[in-house]
Structure formats: structure tokens, C-alpha cells
Amino acid sequence: MTTRALPASTPASQGVEASGIHAFLDALETDPDIEPHSLMIMRHGRLVASGWWAPYTAERPQLLYSLSKSFTSTAAGFAVAEGLLRLDDPVISYFPELDADVTDPRSRAMLVRHVASMASGHEAETVERARALDPDELVRGFLRLPPEHDPGTVFAYNQPTTYTLARIVQRVSGQSLTDYLRPRLFDPIGIGEVAWLRDRAGRELGFSGLHATTDAIARLGQLYLSRGMWDGRQVLPESWVAEATRLHTANDQGPMGGADWRQGYGLQFWMSRHGYRGDGAYGQFCMVLPEHDVVIATTAATVEMQRMLDLVWTHLLPAFGPAPLPGREEADAALAERLAGLALSPAAGKAAPEEWSAVSFGSDGISAEVIADPDGHRLTLVEDGHRLELRLADSGWSVAEAPVPTAVSGGWTDADTLEVDVLFLETPHRLAVTCSLPDRTCTARWRTQPLHPRPLSAMGAPRRSV
């Protein structure tokens, strides 16, 4: 389908000070622990600022990690509206084949609303224990783990709860999450192609693994901000928006430990010090601020997620004024120019030494082969027999689409050392590779550790088979 662009406006006409957005960009770009990839800001239903740090681009999907949960919540909302599931049904009632396996009374008392609100009664994450109990059926493994408390009484950020919710939606609809959401959510609000990682049984994960554009994040946030309305049509029931974004489960400690992870949890949405949000590991955010009529969508690579939110509260919130701002044309134009030119600095390095043409670097993990040619040199990374061939130009980022979208930069930092950064452009992840010429060794280090281990050649959005 052809996606219609979001309605756009200048910041000043929507009461937004360009200087506040500049200050936020300055803070992001000078923080050594935050690598920003994209930013979109909606005010009063208008896109007032958007930018992508090259080589990241607007049309490229990103791995959203746990921001996927908010899309799963939306699927559950449609299923509730259609009478396919009820929040106060026991979870076990949707899995009658597991009835004999699940004997613990707390597990049997667990309701759909409990798994939707991270209140299964477990004290901590259960995903590894559940997989150990049943590698092929995570729901069975999860329900066989007796909760330490009554369901609905304690909070624990717990992947199998969302996986179970997703399984229920897929079971009652007879479709994958993607196929179920396409005519109900994606098409009505203009979200283009998405892709979802699947488990070993071929089921979409639900709790993570969705790849979608920053634009898709912004559209989801705007739908919720508008109480389910889109272009004058009630796409998502207003009752679900209210239910999903209110406090269901109080919590003293979230997975990130910061203040914005201690404000409580809705139905696959976090409560924030300001508004509410969906979020995913390493800075994938959908922030909805009803008090300011604002949606902020970001993608990034950082472990300092609380710091990233703090920068939003410090720099962006004061920029949202109550009325249009006259005489700001030059400021808005300067901001638009800056946003159009955002870029990540390539890794430093010089061209290959002239005295060699090919060399291999050994490693216990990822090894490398480098071949010099007139256009720069080719770098091949080898991991468990999987080969990923990359082109390294003499300067800047070298972008390739196959076998997986990447951007490569770097070179020789001295006569003996080759340092290369590889961005996997459909993920938040950057691989730093260092090769030593004297001892022919290679080290490879992730700046942010992938949470879904895959071969390097598959570090991107899953492609649908034709």
C-alpha cells in the first residue's frame, strides 16, 4: 500500500520552540553513551520535527525490542473489542491441552489481565527457567512455574507474560500478530511493511522482535494520544486506550532501575513521570504526553535509557508552549536544515598499507579476512562458518543492502592495526572489529549486546518468503 505522509507543520506554528529541540539534539550528540538514530516529534497531530542520523534513514525498519509489547497490547485490544478474548478469563482456559500439566493453584488463577499487566505473581523474570522446562512450548514452561505470590499482587517484568498474551491473540484469531494487525491497525493508520521475529515453532514473539520504522512508532503513539481516533475514524476502541494506559500494577523497581521505571505499569505500556510510553532496549521509545498533546518517537543505541528520558524532560518539555510563536521563521528553517543533515561520524582510519594485498586474522569468536583492492578493501567476517562480506571505503560509511543492511567505516589507525565499525542498520547494534597485523589476531566487540542471538548475516529484519 502507499503510505500517506503524516501532516507536517513548523514547530513555531504548533507552539514549539526550535531552541529546545536544538538543545535536545546538542545533549544527545555530546553524550558519549548515547548514539541517536532517529527522532520524530508530533504536536497537536502535526509532525514538527524529524531526522535520522545517517547512515540510518527514514524508510528503514528498526528492531524495536520491547516496544513490540505495545503493538501486542493493541492486538489484544482489538481481540477484546471483537469478543475473541476477555481480560478476566483464566489464562489456562485458552490452553485446554495444558490443563493436566498446570496444577499450581496460583498458575490456574492467573487471568489474562495479569499477564497483560506484568502481574503474574512471579517475583522476577522467568524466561530462562520457562525455556528450560519446555524449550518447545514457552507457555507450558511458564505456567508450570508456580508464582511466589497471588496473581495481581506484585510486579515483575517478565517476557513470558507478554508471549502468553500474544499466543492467546494468535490462537483466538487464527492468525499471526502481523496478519491480524494489518487490516485493523497497520493499514488504517498508514503503517507500511513490518516484520516480526519468530520462535523455534514459527510463532511471532510478541514480547520483542518487531521491526518497524520510526514513522510507525510515531503513528502508534498518535493513535493512542487521539484516544483511538485516526482521520475522524475510531480505529481502536477508546475504552482500550484508557484501559491500556492507566496504572494497573505498581512497582518499586523496573528493569532499568531509573525513576521512569518506578511509575507503574499499564497493559504493555509504562507509566512515566510525564505521560506514558512504550519502550524497547537501547533507546527505542514511543512517548505519549497527553498534557502537552505531544508524541515523541526515537530509535537509538544506548544502555543509558533513563538518561535519554531525562534529556527529553530537561530540554523538550520546556519547548512545548501553549500558543503559536510568531516571528520564528528563521529559527524553524535553521532547525529543519540541521535535522536534514544529521549524521553519525564514521570511524577514523587510513587506507590500507601498500605492501600487502590480503591477510587473515584469527579469533576464537569472529575472525576476519581483509583483501585490498583499488576501491578500498573488502572485509569478510567469519563466525561459526557463516561469512559476511563487507566493503570498506577509504573514507565515510560504505552502505550495503545484502545479505543484510550494513554500514561500514574505519581503516588503519597505525601500520599494524585495522579498526572497523559495522552498523547493522535494521538494529540498534554496532560491532567494533580490531585486527592486529603483527600477530594476525582479531577481536570483535558489540557496543550494545544483541538480545536475540543470530548469525551476523541475519542481523536484520526477517524477510518474508515470496
Side-chain angles (χ1 to χ4, degrees):
M1 62 168 288
T2 301
T3 299
R4 190 170 68 178
L6 289 167
S9 175
T10 61
S13 64
Q14 304 303 322
V16 181
E17 283 279 11
S19 60
I21 301 176
H22 276 295
F24 179 62
L25 296 175
D26 289 342
L28 286 180
E29 294 186 328
T30 57
D31 192 313
D33 296 321
I34 299 176
E35 179 182 288
H37 293 166
S38 70
L39 170 68
M40 295 181 72
I41 302 174
M42 304 277 297
R43 183 89 196 278
H44 304 324
R46 299 292 185 269
L47 181 63
V48 297
S50 62
W52 284 259
W53 279 261
Y56 290 89
T57 57
E59 70 278 2
R60 199 178 291 285
Q62 294 290 297
L63 171 57
L64 303 186
Y65 278 120
S66 284
L67 180 48
S68 309
K69 291 180 171 70
S70 299
F71 287 85
T72 296
S73 171
T74 307
F78 287 118
V80 168
E82 293 169 8
L84 299 177
L85 70 84
R86 294 184 297 181
L87 290 177
D88 291 318
D89 282 345
V91 169
I92 190 64
S93 68
Y94 291 93
F95 302 94
E97 75 278 13
L98 305 182
D99 190 73
D101 295 328
V102 180
T103 58
D104 179 79
R106 285 175 171 157
S107 293
R108 297 186 67 85
M110 196 184 301
L111 306 180
V112 175
R113 72 167 59 253
H114 296 145
V115 295
S117 60
M118 297 289 179
S120 64
H122 295 94
E123 291 182 343
E125 174 69 71
T126 64
V127 65
E128 295 304 327
R129 288 182 292 153
R131 281 175 175 157
L133 278 176
D134 197 323
D136 296 313
E137 178 48 84
L138 187 61
V139 172
R140 180 188 283 111
F142 168 60
L143 292 178
R144 288 180 59 203
L145 286 172
E148 295 86 357
H149 304 275
D150 289 339
T153 62
V154 297
F155 172 87
Y157 195 66
N158 193 359
Q159 310 305 329
T161 60
T162 315
Y163 180 86
T164 299
L165 179 65
R167 280 291 313 282
I168 292 172
V169 173
Q170 291 175 84
R171 176 164 285 199
V172 299
S173 69
Q175 295 178 285
S176 69
L177 294 174
T178 299
D179 289 340
Y180 184 64
L181 286 172
R182 174 54 61 193
R184 294 165 176 82
L185 175 70
F186 298 147
D187 286 348
I189 71 172
I191 292 177
E193 283 301 308
V194 303
W196 218 313
L197 292 178
R198 296 171 179 260
D199 64 12
R200 59 195 296 172
R203 308 180 188 110
E204 293 175 341
L205 294 180
F207 64 84
S208 185
L210 180 63
H211 293 70
T213 61
T214 315
D215 179 88
I217 301 172
R219 289 172 189 264
L220 181 74
Q222 187 61 44
L223 179 69
Y224 273 81
L225 179 64
S226 301
R227 301 182 179 89
M229 293 286 291
W230 194 271
D231 284 343
R233 174 190 168 195
Q234 193 72 46
V235 171
L236 182 66
E238 183 176 2
S239 58
W240 180 260
V241 174
E243 185 73 6
T245 62
R246 71 171 179 87
L247 175 65
H248 282 257
T249 312
N251 63 308
D252 296 325
Q253 185 75 18
M256 305 302 296
D260 281 291
W261 278 266
R262 297 197 298 269
Q263 305 302 314
Y265 201 73
L267 301 182
Q268 308 297 300
F269 286 89
W270 289 95
M271 306 298 102
S272 286
R273 286 179 290 168
H274 304 278
Y276 57 88
R277 69 187 193 281
D279 69 41
Y282 306 127
Q284 325 319 308
F285 283 118
C286 177
M287 306 172 217
V288 182
L289 312 178
E291 65 273 33
H292 298 284
D293 200 17
V294 164
V295 172
I296 302 169
T298 69
T299 61
T302 181
V303 297
E304 299 294 343
M305 291 176 65
Q306 181 62 65
R307 189 186 306 170
M308 196 165 169
L309 288 175
D310 290 343
L311 295 179
V312 172
W313 310 149
T314 299
H315 299 291
L316 289 183
L317 286 191
F320 303 133
L325 304 170
R328 300 297 205 279
E329 291 81 8
E330 288 188 10
D332 286 349
L335 176 62
E337 183 178 1
R338 179 177 183 180
L339 289 167
L342 297 174
L344 300 179
S345 298
K350 299 178 181 179
E354 296 180 358
E355 61 268 19
W356 68 272
S357 59
V359 64
S360 297
F361 300 90
S363 169
D364 292 336
I366 298 173
S367 59
E369 301 169 2
V370 183
I371 299 175
D373 62 31
D375 298 323
H377 40 286
R378 287 174 296 171
L379 171 67
T380 300
L381 302 179
V382 184
E383 177 191 37
D384 296 330
H386 298 279
R387 298 172 64 86
L388 178 62
E389 294 189 1
L390 306 166
R391 169 71 61 180
L392 181 59
D394 287 341
S395 63
W397 292 102
S398 176
V399 176
E401 299 298 326
V404 64
T406 55
V408 184
S409 68
W412 293 87
T413 55
D414 58 45
D416 295 330
T417 308
L418 174 67
E419 294 189 358
V420 176
D421 281 0
V422 183
L423 299 178
F424 291 85
L425 293 173
E426 293 179 341
T427 80
H429 302 302
R430 177 191 292 244
L431 186 68
V433 180
T434 302
C435 299
S436 173
L437 193 57
D439 54 13
R440 299 295 198 271
T441 59
C442 170
T443 61
R445 179 176 62 87
W446 290 105
R447 299 287 176 85
T448 52
Q449 185 67 38
L451 303 182
H452 301 295
R454 289 177 283 168
L456 296 179
S457 58
M459 283 286 293
R463 266 57 185 177
R464 288 199 176 203
S465 56
V466 180

